[in-house]
Amino acid sequence: LKDGTIQGVIGSGAMGLENGAFEKACFNNPQGMAYDPDADALYIADTDNHAIRKADLRKRTVETLAGTGEQSRAYPPRPGKGRQTALNSPWDLVLIGDTLYIAMAGSHQLWRLNLNTLQAEPHAGTGREACIDGRLSSCALAQPSGMTTDGKKLYFADSEVSCIRAADLDPNGELETLVGGDLFEFGDRDGFGREARLQHPLGVVYVDGALYVADTYNNKIKRLDLRT
């Protein structure tokens, strides 16, 4: 970042699903990432490969942790282990401890991947596309995309309902909508909570008690004060 020097590239640039050395590995529309400083590894949501990949920055190799490479069409979506489990358009990642949380845009859910066992399973949402708050096991999401955390909750941009929503880390917890309306209720309006309007937000970052939101279709960056 000091002088703009490119220090390395992960991937050959060819579209595909291939593991191995950085120079030969292939991706297909990778989106979100999460960095593990302890392992010096980068976890990658390889969206159009429907896979979670790991780039080892020490060994300079890429491996696939979860996903078959084919899009899951199951409803309700099925949990499973590692590369035997089909995923559906993973879009962004958040790493907390040994758990990798996944914004699974294609199945309208949040998932979690245990990095020790590679068990992948839904964390929030039934798979139905809607904006329904409540228990994580019964709530409904609509194309969750960008995701971030304050270490206590998962905050995510639920793009198709133009909302910012929050999910508990506790699997027995709840989900609530912080900002926005519902399907087909979008706009460009500042204000408090559900009165405000966004249009297809895709990115979100937590910083010092606030969320910064890429309000994509409004071509703006907006700030959400979590205290007010």
Side-chain angles (χ1 to χ4, degrees), residues 32 35 50 62 65 77 92 121 129 148 155 169 176-177 185 188 190 194 205 214 218 222:
Y35 175 64
H50 312 285
V62 174
L65 299 183
D92 203 5
E121 58 192 349
E129 184 180 19
T148 189
Y155 300 99
L169 295 178
E176 64 174 328
T177 301
E185 291 181 5
D188 185 3
D190 292 351
R194 300 300 296 270
V205 172
N218 283 324
K222 294 186 177 177

Side-chain angles (χ1 to χ4, degrees), residues 93-116:
L93 304 173
V94 165
L95 177 66
I96 300 178
D98 293 328
T99 301
L100 193 65
Y101 292 91
I102 306 165
M104 200 75 74
S107 64
H108 311 298
Q109 293 175 303
L110 303 183
W111 277 51
R112 58 180 182 264
L113 174 66
N114 184 313
L115 293 175
N116 294 319

Side-chain angles (χ1 to χ4, degrees), residues 50 68 70-78 85-89 106-107:
H50 312 285
T68 64
E70 299 293 329
Q71 185 175 19
S72 171
R73 302 290 185 181
Y75 185 86
R78 298 170 188 152
T85 306
L87 307 179
N88 194 339
S89 300
S107 64

Side-chain angles (χ1 to χ4, degrees), residues 184-202:
F184 315 116
E185 291 181 5
F186 54 85
D188 185 3
R189 186 169 75 212
D190 292 351
F192 289 92
R194 300 300 296 270
E195 298 174 358
R197 288 290 179 269
L198 308 171
Q199 187 171 0
H200 207 85
L202 285 175

Side-chain angles (χ1 to χ4, degrees), residues 11 22 32 47 49 59-60 114 163 211:
F22 280 5
T47 303
N49 275 327
K59 297 179 180 178
R60 296 180 58 82
N114 184 313
C163 289
L211 296 180

Side-chain angles (χ1 to χ4, degrees), residues 35 50-51 53 69 77-78 118 131-132 143 146 150 168-169 172 194 199-200 205 212 225 227:
Y35 175 64
H50 312 285
R53 318 283 296 280
R78 298 170 188 152
L118 295 185
C131 184
I132 300 173
Q143 196 183 310
D150 61 355
D168 290 335
L169 295 178
N172 297 314
R194 300 300 296 270
Q199 187 171 0
H200 207 85
V205 172
Y212 291 86
D225 188 327
R227 291 161 293 194

Side-chain angles (χ1 to χ4, degrees), residues 213-225:
V213 180
D215 193 6
T216 304
Y217 286 10
N218 283 324
N219 302 305
K220 294 180 178 180
I221 306 298
K222 294 186 177 177
R223 181 179 183 275
L224 167 60
D225 188 327

